């Protein structure tokens, strides 16, 4: 289908023919390119849909295989001691031990408080009984101190008596010496 082209009258017929052929060739090339692009687009869409279908199928097969594998291993390991969650079991035992330790500490503390109360009660009773003994001890201490004081007073009196005797003897000797000196002085003939 030739495309009518409006050309200026100055162009020769030969150039016009060449231009018309080129236009027709370009139109056929564009039509061919559009046909090829449409074919390529349909092929691309088919490939994309096929890829998506394969991807979905592959994903489904993978999940089925994973489920089958998991079921096989669950069946194989159902008698295993590792079938249970060891971490959860250990965590449960750990928390159980913590609570037991707390209870034990509370019991020990209460037992210690009871023991301390019993010890304090015994000590109070013992000190209450000792009050009588303490009174007797205080009386004896007072008596002993009084005896010591009396003995000290006797010793002081003895010492004072001895000192008084010594002073008296000294005074007596001094008096006798003065008396003898006086007698000598009176007996001297020069003095008469």
């Amino acid at each position: 289908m030739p495309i009518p082209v409006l050309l200026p009258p100055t162009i020769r017929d030969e150039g016009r023919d060449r231009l018309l052929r080129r236009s027709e060739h370009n139109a056929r090339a564009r039509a061919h390119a559009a046909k090829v692009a449409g074919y390529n687009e349909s092929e691309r869409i088919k490939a994309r849909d096929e890829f998506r279908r394969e991807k979905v199928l592959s994903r489904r097969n993978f999940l089925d295989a994973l489920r089958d594998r998991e079921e096989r291993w669950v069946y194989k390991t159902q008698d295993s001691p590792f079938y249970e969650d060891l971490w959860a079991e250990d965590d449960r035992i750990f928390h159980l031990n913590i609570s037991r330790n707390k209870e034990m500490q509370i019991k020990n503390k209460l037992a210690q408080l009871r023991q301390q109360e019993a010890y304090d009660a015994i000590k109070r009773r013992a000190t209450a009984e000792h009050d009588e003994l303490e009174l007797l001890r205080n009386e004896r201490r007072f008596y002993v101190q009084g005896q010591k004081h009396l003995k000290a007073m006797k010793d002081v009196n003895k010492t004072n008596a001895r000192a008084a005797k010594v002073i008296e003897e000294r005074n007596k000797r001094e008096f006798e010496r003065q008396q003898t000196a006086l007698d000598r002085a009176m007996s001297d003939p020069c003095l008469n």
Side-chain angles (χ1 to χ4, degrees):
M1 159 162 126
I3 301 174
V5 178
L6 297 173
L7 294 175
T10 55
I11 297 178
R12 290 189 227 159
D13 288 338
E14 202 178 288
R16 187 174 170 197
D17 285 341
R18 202 173 14 142
L19 196 59
L20 279 174
R21 274 184 292 182
R22 187 183 295 159
S23 300
E24 283 178 21
H25 178 70
N26 285 345
R28 278 193 307 263
R30 272 193 298 260
H32 181 68
K35 194 188 279 183
V36 168
Y39 177 76
N40 284 345
E41 180 67 20
S42 70
E43 288 298 315
R44 189 184 69 74
I45 289 171
K46 283 180 191 174
R48 184 190 66 195
D49 291 343
E50 183 64 26
F51 176 74
R52 285 182 181 167
R53 207 174 11 262
E54 285 178 6
K55 187 176 179 183
V56 167
L57 186 63
S58 172
R59 179 76 180 160
R60 188 175 299 139
N61 287 341
F62 173 75
L63 290 175
D64 289 343
L66 184 67
R67 235 178 273 118
D68 288 345
R69 209 173 318 131
E70 217 174 278
E71 287 174 5
R72 269 196 322 270
W73 277 107
V74 165
Y75 178 73
K76 284 180 182 179
T77 59
Q78 68 186 4
D79 295 334
S80 172
F82 298 113
Y83 187 67
E84 294 179 18
D85 185 3
L86 296 178
W87 179 261
E89 181 69 18
D90 187 51
D91 194 40
R92 184 185 64 78
I93 291 171
F94 175 74
H95 289 295
L96 184 65
N97 285 338
I98 286 177
S99 64
R100 282 183 186 163
N101 286 344
K102 284 182 181 178
E103 289 173 7
M104 199 108 128
Q105 285 176 348
I106 290 170
K107 284 181 183 176
N108 288 342
K109 204 170 203 178
L110 287 174
Q112 192 175 16
L113 285 173
R114 285 188 198 117
Q115 188 176 8
Q116 184 66 34
E117 287 174 2
Y119 175 74
D120 289 343
I122 291 170
K123 195 172 181 182
R124 278 192 300 266
R125 266 187 274 146
T127 55
E129 292 171 2
H130 282 226
D131 286 342
E132 293 175 16
L133 290 175
E134 192 64 33
L135 288 174
L136 292 173
R137 283 188 190 124
N138 286 338
E139 286 178 17
R140 171 132 174 100
R141 202 174 297 124
F142 183 72
Y143 175 74
V144 168
Q145 285 178 350
Q147 292 294 328
K148 285 182 183 177
H149 185 67
L150 286 175
K151 185 176 178 185
M153 291 298 282
K154 278 184 184 178
D155 289 343
V156 167
N157 284 339
K158 266 188 193 177
T159 307
N160 285 345
R162 277 192 218 133
K165 205 183 239 184
V166 168
I167 291 173
E168 189 180 323
E169 284 179 12
R170 196 180 300 148
N171 286 341
K172 195 189 253 186
R173 271 188 268 148
E174 183 65 31
F175 180 71
E176 286 176 3
R177 188 183 58 78
Q178 286 177 2
Q179 197 65 31
T180 53
L182 187 61
D183 285 342
R184 261 193 232 147
M186 290 297 217
S187 66
D188 194 14
C190 300
L191 284 174
N192 288 335

